[in-house]
Amino acid sequence: MVSAHRAARVALAALLLSAGAKAQSNETPSANAPVPTTAPAPAPDQQKPSPAEPRVHHAPASVAPAHEALAVRADIEHPELVAHVLLLFRTPDSSGWREIEFQRASDGPYVAIVPEGDVKWPSLSYVIEMEKTDGKRVAAFASRANPFTVQIPEDLMDVRERALDQRLGGRRSVFSTTGEYVSFGSSKANVSTAGAQESVNDRYYRIEAAYTYRPLRVVTEFSVRAGVVRGKAPVPLRDPIPGQSESERFDVGLNYGAPTVRFRLHDAVHLEGELLTSVTEVGFSWGGGGALLIGDPYGSKLTLGFESIQTFGTRFWSRMDVRANDRFVIAPIVEITNMPSAEDYGVRLLGEAQLEVGSGFAVAARGGYQARLATSGGPAFGATLSYAF
Protein backbone atom coordinates (compact mmCIF):
# COMPACT_ATOMS: atom_id res chain seq x y z
CA MET A 1 0.00 0.00 0.00
CA VAL A 2 2.92 2.26 0.71
CA SER A 3 4.32 1.40 -2.72
CA ALA A 4 1.08 2.37 -4.43
CA HIS A 5 1.00 5.69 -2.60
CA ARG A 6 4.65 6.44 -3.65
CA ALA A 7 3.89 5.60 -7.27
CA ALA A 8 0.97 8.02 -7.31
CA ARG A 9 3.17 10.80 -5.93
CA VAL A 10 5.83 10.15 -8.58
CA ALA A 11 3.22 10.21 -11.37
CA LEU A 12 1.78 13.51 -10.07
CA ALA A 13 5.24 15.12 -9.93
CA ALA A 14 5.97 14.03 -13.49
CA LEU A 15 2.69 15.48 -14.69
CA LEU A 16 3.42 18.87 -13.06
CA LEU A 17 6.91 18.98 -14.56
CA SER A 18 5.51 18.26 -18.02
CA ALA A 19 2.90 21.08 -17.78
CA GLY A 20 5.52 23.65 -16.63
CA ALA A 21 7.84 22.82 -19.51
CA LYS A 22 5.01 23.27 -22.04
CA ALA A 23 4.04 26.66 -20.62
CA GLN A 24 7.65 27.86 -20.73
CA SER A 25 7.87 26.71 -24.35
CA ASN A 26 4.81 28.82 -25.36
CA GLU A 27 6.07 32.06 -23.70
CA THR A 28 9.68 32.05 -24.97
CA PRO A 29 10.12 33.07 -28.68
CA SER A 30 11.99 30.88 -31.02
CA ALA A 31 15.47 31.82 -31.91
CA ASN A 32 14.52 31.75 -35.60
CA ALA A 33 11.44 34.03 -35.26
CA PRO A 34 11.78 37.68 -36.61
CA VAL A 35 11.92 40.43 -34.10
CA PRO A 36 10.06 43.71 -35.07
CA THR A 37 12.08 46.89 -34.87
CA THR A 38 11.26 50.69 -35.35
CA ALA A 39 13.62 52.93 -37.49
CA PRO A 40 14.89 55.95 -35.62
CA ALA A 41 13.69 59.42 -36.89
CA PRO A 42 16.41 61.32 -38.69
CA ALA A 43 17.95 64.29 -37.04
CA PRO A 44 16.68 67.72 -38.26
CA ASP A 45 20.02 68.62 -39.88
CA GLN A 46 19.83 65.51 -42.09
CA GLN A 47 16.61 66.69 -44.01
CA LYS A 48 17.71 68.57 -47.27
CA PRO A 49 15.04 70.54 -49.30
CA SER A 50 14.97 70.11 -53.13
CA PRO A 51 16.70 73.04 -54.95
CA ALA A 52 14.41 75.74 -56.58
CA GLU A 53 14.13 75.65 -60.38
CA PRO A 54 12.94 78.52 -62.62
CA ARG A 55 9.84 77.73 -64.67
CA VAL A 56 7.72 79.46 -67.29
CA HIS A 57 3.96 79.11 -67.28
CA HIS A 58 2.38 80.08 -70.61
CA ALA A 59 -1.05 79.62 -72.20
CA PRO A 60 -0.65 80.01 -76.01
CA ALA A 61 -3.22 81.39 -78.43
CA SER A 62 -3.67 79.39 -81.62
CA VAL A 63 -5.15 82.22 -83.76
CA ALA A 64 -4.29 85.93 -84.02
CA PRO A 65 -5.65 88.76 -86.20
CA ALA A 66 -3.41 89.98 -89.01
CA HIS A 67 -1.61 93.34 -88.80
CA GLU A 68 -2.14 93.70 -85.06
CA ALA A 69 0.65 93.47 -82.47
CA LEU A 70 0.70 90.05 -80.80
CA ALA A 71 1.20 90.12 -77.01
CA VAL A 72 2.65 86.84 -75.69
CA ARG A 73 2.20 86.64 -71.91
CA ALA A 74 3.93 84.33 -69.46
CA ASP A 75 4.38 83.88 -65.71
CA ILE A 76 7.99 83.32 -64.63
CA GLU A 77 8.60 81.31 -61.48
CA HIS A 78 11.83 82.24 -59.65
CA PRO A 79 12.84 85.04 -62.07
CA GLU A 80 15.83 85.76 -59.83
CA LEU A 81 17.44 82.56 -61.15
CA VAL A 82 17.43 83.58 -64.83
CA ALA A 83 19.23 86.32 -66.71
CA HIS A 84 16.72 86.58 -69.56
CA VAL A 85 13.52 84.97 -70.78
CA LEU A 86 13.27 85.32 -74.54
CA LEU A 87 10.58 84.92 -77.15
CA LEU A 88 11.99 83.64 -80.45
CA PHE A 89 9.68 83.98 -83.46
CA ARG A 90 9.77 83.68 -87.22
CA THR A 91 7.42 83.97 -90.19
CA PRO A 92 7.29 81.64 -93.21
CA ASP A 93 9.21 84.15 -95.33
CA SER A 94 11.93 84.88 -92.75
CA SER A 95 15.34 83.22 -92.83
CA GLY A 96 15.97 82.97 -89.09
CA TRP A 97 14.71 83.56 -85.57
CA ARG A 98 14.15 87.01 -84.12
CA GLU A 99 14.34 87.60 -80.36
CA ILE A 100 12.23 89.71 -78.01
CA GLU A 101 12.89 89.78 -74.26
CA PHE A 102 10.00 89.37 -71.84
CA GLN A 103 9.35 92.48 -69.76
CA ARG A 104 7.26 93.06 -66.67
CA ALA A 105 3.76 94.02 -67.86
CA SER A 106 1.53 96.62 -66.25
CA ASP A 107 -1.58 94.45 -66.63
CA GLY A 108 -0.06 91.02 -66.12
CA PRO A 109 3.06 89.08 -65.17
CA TYR A 110 5.47 89.27 -68.15
CA VAL A 111 4.90 90.07 -71.82
CA ALA A 112 6.79 90.05 -75.14
CA ILE A 113 5.16 91.90 -78.03
CA VAL A 114 5.58 90.85 -81.67
CA PRO A 115 5.38 93.97 -83.93
CA GLU A 116 2.26 94.28 -86.06
CA GLY A 117 4.33 94.28 -89.24
CA ASP A 118 5.40 90.69 -88.52
CA VAL A 119 1.91 89.41 -87.73
CA LYS A 120 0.79 88.53 -91.24
CA TRP A 121 -0.77 85.72 -93.19
CA PRO A 122 -0.47 82.73 -93.12
CA SER A 123 1.18 82.02 -89.74
CA LEU A 124 3.81 82.85 -87.14
CA SER A 125 5.89 80.36 -85.13
CA TYR A 126 7.52 80.95 -81.76
CA VAL A 127 9.32 79.33 -78.82
CA ILE A 128 10.21 80.57 -75.34
CA GLU A 129 13.73 80.07 -74.00
CA MET A 130 15.33 80.81 -70.64
CA GLU A 131 18.90 82.01 -70.32
CA LYS A 132 20.17 81.13 -66.86
CA THR A 133 22.66 83.13 -64.86
CA ASP A 134 25.43 80.77 -65.99
CA GLY A 135 24.69 81.63 -69.65
CA LYS A 136 23.08 78.30 -70.47
CA ARG A 137 19.90 78.40 -72.55
CA VAL A 138 17.08 75.95 -72.09
CA ALA A 139 13.72 75.60 -73.81
CA ALA A 140 10.83 76.72 -71.61
CA PHE A 141 7.98 76.37 -74.12
CA ALA A 142 8.12 74.43 -77.42
CA SER A 143 11.50 74.17 -79.15
CA ARG A 144 13.26 75.41 -82.24
CA ALA A 145 12.89 71.98 -83.80
CA ASN A 146 9.18 71.90 -82.97
CA PRO A 147 7.92 75.48 -82.49
CA PHE A 148 4.38 76.51 -81.64
CA THR A 149 2.46 77.90 -84.64
CA VAL A 150 -0.12 80.68 -84.49
CA GLN A 151 -2.50 80.74 -87.42
CA ILE A 152 -3.08 84.22 -88.90
CA PRO A 153 -6.12 84.36 -91.20
CA GLU A 154 -5.79 86.56 -94.27
CA ASP A 155 -8.09 89.59 -94.13
CA LEU A 156 -10.03 90.87 -97.12
CA MET A 157 -7.63 93.76 -97.77
CA ASP A 158 -4.72 91.30 -97.93
CA VAL A 159 -6.66 89.19 -100.44
CA ARG A 160 -7.27 92.24 -102.63
CA GLU A 161 -3.65 93.34 -102.43
CA ARG A 162 -2.33 89.89 -103.29
CA ALA A 163 -4.74 89.53 -106.22
CA LEU A 164 -3.77 92.93 -107.68
CA ASP A 165 -0.08 92.27 -107.10
CA GLN A 166 -0.31 88.97 -109.01
CA ARG A 167 -2.26 90.67 -111.76
CA LEU A 168 0.44 93.35 -112.11
CA GLY A 169 3.18 90.74 -112.02
CA GLY A 170 4.61 92.23 -108.81
CA ARG A 171 5.50 95.45 -110.67
CA ARG A 172 4.49 98.09 -108.15
CA SER A 173 6.75 100.95 -109.27
CA VAL A 174 6.35 102.81 -112.56
CA PHE A 175 8.59 105.40 -114.19
CA SER A 176 7.13 107.31 -117.13
CA THR A 177 7.96 110.23 -119.40
CA THR A 178 5.53 112.13 -121.60
CA GLY A 179 5.82 114.67 -124.39
CA GLU A 180 2.87 116.50 -125.96
CA TYR A 181 2.27 119.30 -128.45
CA VAL A 182 -1.07 121.18 -128.47
CA SER A 183 -2.24 123.84 -130.93
CA PHE A 184 -5.54 125.77 -130.82
CA GLY A 185 -4.82 127.49 -134.10
CA SER A 186 -4.93 131.26 -134.31
CA SER A 187 -6.54 133.43 -131.65
CA LYS A 188 -7.10 137.17 -131.63
CA ALA A 189 -5.19 139.15 -129.02
CA ASN A 190 -4.84 142.84 -128.16
CA VAL A 191 -1.35 144.05 -128.98
CA SER A 192 -1.66 147.74 -128.09
CA THR A 193 -3.44 150.03 -125.71
CA ALA A 194 -5.52 151.32 -128.63
CA GLY A 195 -7.18 147.94 -128.90
CA ALA A 196 -5.52 146.79 -132.10
CA GLN A 197 -5.64 143.04 -132.52
CA GLU A 198 -3.53 140.54 -134.30
CA SER A 199 -3.52 136.77 -134.63
CA VAL A 200 -1.48 134.87 -132.08
CA ASN A 201 -0.42 131.28 -132.56
CA ASP A 202 -2.30 129.79 -129.54
CA ARG A 203 -0.31 126.69 -128.63
CA TYR A 204 1.98 125.03 -126.08
CA TYR A 205 4.14 121.97 -125.55
CA ARG A 206 4.59 119.92 -122.39
CA ILE A 207 7.35 117.57 -121.18
CA GLU A 208 6.75 115.56 -118.02
CA ALA A 209 8.37 112.81 -115.93
CA ALA A 210 6.57 110.84 -113.22
CA TYR A 211 7.12 108.14 -110.65
CA THR A 212 4.27 106.03 -109.24
CA TYR A 213 4.23 103.48 -106.44
CA ARG A 214 1.31 101.11 -105.84
CA PRO A 215 0.64 100.02 -102.23
CA LEU A 216 -2.60 98.44 -103.53
CA ARG A 217 -4.42 98.89 -100.23
CA VAL A 218 -6.66 101.78 -99.07
CA VAL A 219 -4.04 104.00 -100.67
CA THR A 220 -3.93 102.31 -104.05
CA GLU A 221 -1.28 104.56 -105.58
CA PHE A 222 0.74 107.66 -104.94
CA SER A 223 2.83 109.48 -107.50
CA VAL A 224 4.97 112.53 -108.10
CA ARG A 225 5.00 114.38 -111.41
CA ALA A 226 7.32 117.15 -112.57
CA GLY A 227 7.30 118.95 -115.87
CA VAL A 228 7.63 122.11 -117.94
CA VAL A 229 5.20 123.87 -120.26
CA ARG A 230 6.11 126.50 -122.81
CA GLY A 231 3.88 128.26 -125.30
CA LYS A 232 1.90 131.30 -126.44
CA ALA A 233 -1.24 132.65 -124.75
CA PRO A 234 -3.87 134.88 -126.41
CA VAL A 235 -3.93 137.13 -123.33
CA PRO A 236 -0.80 139.17 -122.47
CA LEU A 237 0.26 138.58 -118.91
CA ARG A 238 2.87 141.30 -118.56
CA ASP A 239 3.12 144.98 -119.24
CA PRO A 240 5.47 145.92 -122.08
CA ILE A 241 9.15 145.91 -121.19
CA PRO A 242 11.47 148.36 -122.95
CA GLY A 243 13.14 146.63 -125.84
CA GLN A 244 10.67 143.73 -125.81
CA SER A 245 8.64 142.92 -128.88
CA GLU A 246 4.86 142.70 -128.67
CA SER A 247 4.87 139.00 -129.52
CA GLU A 248 7.08 138.19 -126.54
CA ARG A 249 4.38 139.50 -124.20
CA PHE A 250 2.30 136.44 -125.06
CA ASP A 251 4.95 133.90 -124.11
CA VAL A 252 3.83 131.63 -121.27
CA GLY A 253 5.75 129.11 -119.21
CA LEU A 254 5.16 126.75 -116.34
CA ASN A 255 7.54 124.68 -114.23
CA TYR A 256 5.46 122.44 -112.01
CA GLY A 257 5.48 119.62 -109.51
CA ALA A 258 2.42 117.59 -108.54
CA PRO A 259 2.10 114.89 -105.86
CA THR A 260 -1.00 112.71 -106.30
CA VAL A 261 -2.68 110.11 -104.06
CA ARG A 262 -5.32 107.58 -105.14
CA PHE A 263 -7.69 106.13 -102.52
CA ARG A 264 -9.82 103.04 -102.78
CA LEU A 265 -13.45 103.72 -101.85
CA HIS A 266 -14.72 100.45 -103.33
CA ASP A 267 -13.34 97.79 -105.64
CA ALA A 268 -14.87 99.72 -108.54
CA VAL A 269 -14.59 103.30 -107.19
CA HIS A 270 -11.35 105.19 -106.60
CA LEU A 271 -10.68 108.85 -105.81
CA GLU A 272 -7.56 110.85 -106.63
CA GLY A 273 -6.36 114.06 -105.01
CA GLU A 274 -3.61 116.27 -106.40
CA LEU A 275 -1.62 119.27 -105.23
CA LEU A 276 0.04 121.50 -107.82
CA THR A 277 2.90 123.89 -107.21
CA SER A 278 4.52 125.85 -109.98
CA VAL A 279 6.63 128.76 -111.07
CA THR A 280 5.11 130.72 -113.94
CA GLU A 281 6.24 133.74 -115.91
CA VAL A 282 4.59 135.99 -113.29
CA GLY A 283 5.71 134.20 -110.12
CA PHE A 284 4.88 131.34 -107.80
CA SER A 285 1.48 129.68 -108.19
CA TRP A 286 -0.62 127.10 -106.36
CA GLY A 287 -3.21 124.72 -107.67
CA GLY A 288 -4.85 121.36 -107.28
CA GLY A 289 -6.99 118.75 -108.88
CA GLY A 290 -8.89 115.54 -108.45
CA ALA A 291 -10.37 112.62 -110.33
CA LEU A 292 -13.04 109.98 -109.84
CA LEU A 293 -12.34 106.54 -111.33
CA ILE A 294 -15.27 104.18 -111.90
CA GLY A 295 -14.51 100.61 -112.93
CA ASP A 296 -11.40 98.45 -112.91
CA PRO A 297 -8.45 100.65 -111.87
CA TYR A 298 -6.08 98.58 -114.03
CA GLY A 299 -8.54 97.72 -116.78
CA SER A 300 -11.61 99.27 -118.37
CA LYS A 301 -12.75 102.38 -116.46
CA LEU A 302 -14.24 105.84 -116.71
CA THR A 303 -12.26 108.78 -115.31
CA LEU A 304 -13.76 112.19 -114.56
CA GLY A 305 -11.31 114.84 -113.43
CA PHE A 306 -10.30 118.47 -113.14
CA GLU A 307 -7.12 120.46 -112.61
CA SER A 308 -6.57 124.14 -111.94
CA ILE A 309 -3.58 126.36 -111.31
CA GLN A 310 -3.27 130.09 -110.77
CA THR A 311 -2.55 132.19 -113.84
CA PHE A 312 -2.12 129.23 -116.19
CA GLY A 313 -5.72 128.00 -116.30
CA THR A 314 -8.16 125.18 -115.60
CA ARG A 315 -9.14 121.98 -117.37
CA PHE A 316 -11.91 119.42 -117.02
CA TRP A 317 -11.75 116.04 -118.67
CA SER A 318 -13.35 112.64 -119.11
CA ARG A 319 -11.55 109.54 -120.28
CA MET A 320 -12.86 106.07 -121.04
CA ASP A 321 -10.22 103.33 -120.99
CA VAL A 322 -11.26 100.21 -122.86
CA ARG A 323 -9.00 97.19 -122.47
CA ALA A 324 -9.19 95.32 -125.75
CA ASN A 325 -6.97 92.49 -124.48
CA ASP A 326 -4.23 91.84 -121.92
CA ARG A 327 -1.79 94.13 -123.72
CA PHE A 328 -3.77 96.76 -125.60
CA VAL A 329 -5.86 99.67 -124.28
CA ILE A 330 -7.66 102.38 -126.24
CA ALA A 331 -9.08 105.55 -124.67
CA PRO A 332 -11.22 108.36 -126.10
CA ILE A 333 -10.69 111.65 -124.20
CA VAL A 334 -12.78 114.82 -124.04
CA GLU A 335 -11.25 117.89 -122.40
CA ILE A 336 -12.47 121.45 -121.82
CA THR A 337 -9.71 123.94 -120.95
CA ASN A 338 -8.60 127.54 -121.01
CA MET A 339 -4.95 126.58 -120.70
CA PRO A 340 -2.60 128.22 -121.36
CA SER A 341 -3.81 131.49 -119.82
CA ALA A 342 -6.71 132.07 -122.21
CA GLU A 343 -9.99 133.91 -121.60
CA ASP A 344 -12.03 131.45 -123.66
CA TYR A 345 -12.39 127.75 -123.04
CA GLY A 346 -11.63 125.37 -125.84
CA VAL A 347 -12.67 121.78 -126.49
CA ARG A 348 -10.19 118.99 -127.12
CA LEU A 349 -11.16 115.66 -128.70
CA LEU A 350 -8.40 113.10 -128.35
CA GLY A 351 -7.72 109.41 -128.67
CA GLU A 352 -4.96 107.39 -127.02
CA ALA A 353 -3.73 103.86 -127.59
CA GLN A 354 -1.40 102.01 -125.21
CA LEU A 355 0.51 98.83 -125.90
CA GLU A 356 2.35 96.76 -123.28
CA VAL A 357 5.41 95.50 -125.13
CA GLY A 358 6.66 93.21 -122.35
CA SER A 359 9.21 93.13 -119.52
CA GLY A 360 7.39 96.01 -117.86
CA PHE A 361 7.66 98.40 -120.83
CA ALA A 362 4.64 100.14 -122.36
CA VAL A 363 4.22 102.81 -125.03
CA ALA A 364 1.24 105.08 -125.61
CA ALA A 365 0.46 107.47 -128.45
CA ARG A 366 -2.23 110.13 -128.54
CA GLY A 367 -3.61 112.48 -131.14
CA GLY A 368 -6.59 114.72 -131.76
CA TYR A 369 -7.93 118.14 -132.49
CA GLN A 370 -8.89 121.16 -130.38
CA ALA A 371 -10.28 124.65 -130.89
CA ARG A 372 -11.35 127.71 -128.92
CA LEU A 373 -13.24 129.23 -131.84
CA ALA A 374 -15.36 127.55 -134.50
CA THR A 375 -13.26 129.23 -137.17
CA SER A 376 -9.86 128.05 -135.95
CA GLY A 377 -8.34 124.97 -134.41
CA GLY A 378 -5.27 122.82 -134.46
CA PRO A 379 -3.81 119.36 -133.96
CA ALA A 380 -2.47 117.63 -130.87
CA PHE A 381 -0.11 114.71 -130.64
CA GLY A 382 2.04 113.15 -127.97
CA ALA A 383 3.58 109.96 -126.64
CA THR A 384 4.36 108.28 -123.31
CA LEU A 385 7.00 105.71 -122.49
CA SER A 386 6.72 103.86 -119.18
CA TYR A 387 8.57 101.11 -117.33
CA ALA A 388 7.07 99.14 -114.48
CA PHE A 389 9.21 97.11 -112.07
Side-chain angles (χ1 to χ4, degrees):
M1 188 169 178
V2 174
S3 299
H5 181 68
R6 183 179 293 176
R9 292 176 60 187
V10 172
L12 179 60
L15 182 61
L16 292 174
L17 289 174
S18 174
K22 186 176 180 179
Q24 185 177 2
S25 173
N26 290 337
E27 292 176 0
T28 304
S30 170
N32 296 327
V35 178
T37 59
T38 302
D45 59 354
Q46 293 177 342
Q47 297 180 354
K48 296 182 179 180
S50 58
E53 286 291 336
R55 299 178 186 277
V56 171
H57 302 281
H58 170 61
S62 58
V63 180
H67 310 300
E68 293 184 13
L70 175 61
V72 179
R73 300 183 183 278
D75 192 2
I76 304 173
E77 191 176 334
H78 294 295
E80 72 279 2
L81 300 180
V82 294
H84 306 283
V85 177
L86 302 168
L87 176 77
L88 284 72
F89 74 93
R90 67 182 180 187
T91 57
D93 58 354
S94 61
S95 58
W97 295 95
R98 293 176 57 187
E99 296 183 354
I100 300 175
E101 185 173 358
F102 278 87
Q103 303 289 341
R104 176 73 72 174
S106 59
D107 57 346
Y110 291 84
V111 65
I113 299 178
V114 181
E116 60 183 26
D118 295 305
V119 184
K120 54 189 177 182
W121 177 84
S123 63
L124 179 146
S125 300
Y126 71 86
V127 303
I128 300 176
E129 293 183 351
M130 292 189 300
E131 182 177 318
K132 296 186 177 181
T133 54
D134 59 2
K136 182 181 178 181
R137 276 200 184 189
V138 295
F141 174 78
S143 66
R144 300 193 190 193
N146 187 25
F148 180 78
T149 300
V150 180
Q151 300 298 325
I152 303 173
E154 190 173 22
D155 63 20
L156 185 56
M157 186 61 70
D158 288 339
V159 175
R160 291 192 185 100
E161 179 185 358
R162 183 161 52 87
L164 287 173
D165 184 72
Q166 291 175 353
R167 181 177 171 188
L168 296 172
R171 300 178 184 274
R172 299 202 180 198
S173 294
V174 182
F175 278 117
S176 65
T177 181
T178 300
E180 183 180 30
Y181 175 81
V182 179
S183 173
F184 287 92
S186 297
S187 297
K188 295 296 184 179
N190 294 327
V191 295
S192 68
T193 56
Q197 292 187 330
E198 69 175 36
S199 294
V200 175
N201 190 8
D202 186 0
R203 48 84 181 165
Y204 68 89
Y205 68 87
R206 175 175 63 93
I207 299 174
E208 178 182 283
Y211 169 74
T212 299
Y213 181 75
R214 302 161 171 167
L216 303 177
R217 297 185 70 83
V218 174
V219 175
T220 308
E221 292 185 358
F222 61 84
S223 61
V224 177
R225 299 183 295 121
V228 297
V229 179
R230 297 290 184 270
K232 293 279 188 178
V235 177
L237 300 177
R238 296 185 296 261
D239 293 330
I241 299 175
Q244 183 185 43
S245 66
E246 283 289 340
S247 63
E248 290 179 329
R249 294 178 57 204
F250 300 93
D251 290 342
V252 293
L254 182 71
N255 303 325
Y256 65 90
T260 303
V261 181
R262 179 185 296 181
F263 299 93
R264 174 193 170 275
L265 305 181
H266 183 271
D267 285 346
V269 181
H270 292 74
L271 182 67
E272 283 188 356
E274 178 185 71
L275 175 66
L276 272 166
T277 60
S278 70
V279 177
T280 68
E281 67 282 350
V282 293
F284 188 80
S285 297
W286 287 90
L292 178 67
L293 291 78
I294 303 172
D296 184 350
Y298 301 107
S300 298
K301 62 183 179 293
L302 171 66
T303 304
L304 304 172
F306 79 96
E307 188 176 62
S308 181
I309 190 165
Q310 293 173 330
T311 305
F312 198 76
T314 302
R315 67 187 184 105
F316 304 90
W317 79 91
S318 67
R319 173 185 175 121
M320 184 67 204
D321 289 271
V322 179
R323 182 170 286 277
N325 55 45
D326 292 341
R327 300 177 60 188
F328 187 66
V329 177
I330 57 175
I333 304 169
V334 179
E335 182 176 313
I336 300 173
T337 181
N338 65 348
M339 293 180 178
S341 306
E343 291 181 343
D344 300 320
Y345 278 84
V347 178
R348 305 183 64 200
L349 302 177
L350 306 168
E352 183 175 286
Q354 177 178 297
L355 176 66
E356 297 178 7
V357 297
S359 300
F361 286 97
V363 293
R366 65 163 50 187
Y369 183 85
Q370 55 271 319
R372 299 193 201 279
L373 304 173
T375 57
S376 179
F381 51 86
T384 299
L385 174 65
S386 63
Y387 173 63
F389 60 96

